[in-house]
Amino acid sequence: MEKTFLMVKPDGVQRGLIGEIVSRFEKKGFQLVGAKLMMVSQELAEKHYAEHKEKPFFGELVDFITSGPVFAMVWQGPNVIATARQMMGKTNPVDALPGTIRGDFGVSVGMNIIHGSDSPESAERELALWFNDKGTVDYEKTINQWI
Ligand code: DAT
Ligand code: MG
């Protein structure tokens, strides 16, 4: 079953949006298989955002993601990678539609509340980086036959 890496960023944690965000993915029909509240090291932040190393905002990005606890999660379900990206909304909240997480709760591109893997390749890379095959639980939910 497809898995993706989702993370409530420090702004989302500070604003008390963990429950709201978890709830949206649960209600959609996806299954939570791993989660942890954690501080992000400089090293992990730089690896996570390696694709943006040359961008002018790289320093700000790393400073922001290490500035407070994040809530890192593994979610599972059919097409969860692409669907979670739709539910998050566009990167810049000004472009994110109402009804999406960024569209409903964000106003600035830096503090846009949530991260989600953008492809199967990044999901695989990010899950290995953040969960390293540890801290996830394989379990059956009987409700899945109705989803
Ligand atoms: P996404 O988080 O939607 O996958 P991304 O991978 O292009 O977007 O960028 C990673 C994060 O970097 C993004 O969530 C917010 C920040 N960011 C992107 N573009 C930016 C910009 N032009 N100025 C400042 N921060 C930016
Ligand atoms: Mg991205």
Side-chain angles (χ1 to χ4, degrees), residues 9 49 52 57 61 85 91 102 109 112:
K9 295 184 184 183
Y49 281 128
H52 299 300
F57 56 83
L61 203 51
R85 292 285 300 188
T91 305
R102 288 164 168 173
V109 68
N112 60 5

Side-chain angles (χ1 to χ4, degrees), residues 63-130:
D63 286 351
F64 170 53
I65 210 72
T66 57
S67 66
V70 301
F71 193 63
M73 300 170 282
V74 186
W75 284 88
Q76 168 177 301
N79 302 307
V80 67
I81 300 170
T83 309
R85 292 285 300 188
Q86 296 283 358
M87 292 169 67
M88 287 162 52
K90 293 269 172 63
T91 305
N92 192 335
V94 78
D95 301 318
L97 296 176
T100 65
I101 292 165
R102 288 164 168 173
D104 286 349
F105 304 117
V107 290
S108 80
V109 68
M111 296 193 188
N112 60 5
I113 301 158
I114 184 167
H115 168 84
S117 306
D118 63 8
S119 66
E121 295 70 35
S122 21
E124 193 182 348
R125 188 186 79 85
E126 291 170 4
L127 288 170
L129 189 60
W130 289 83

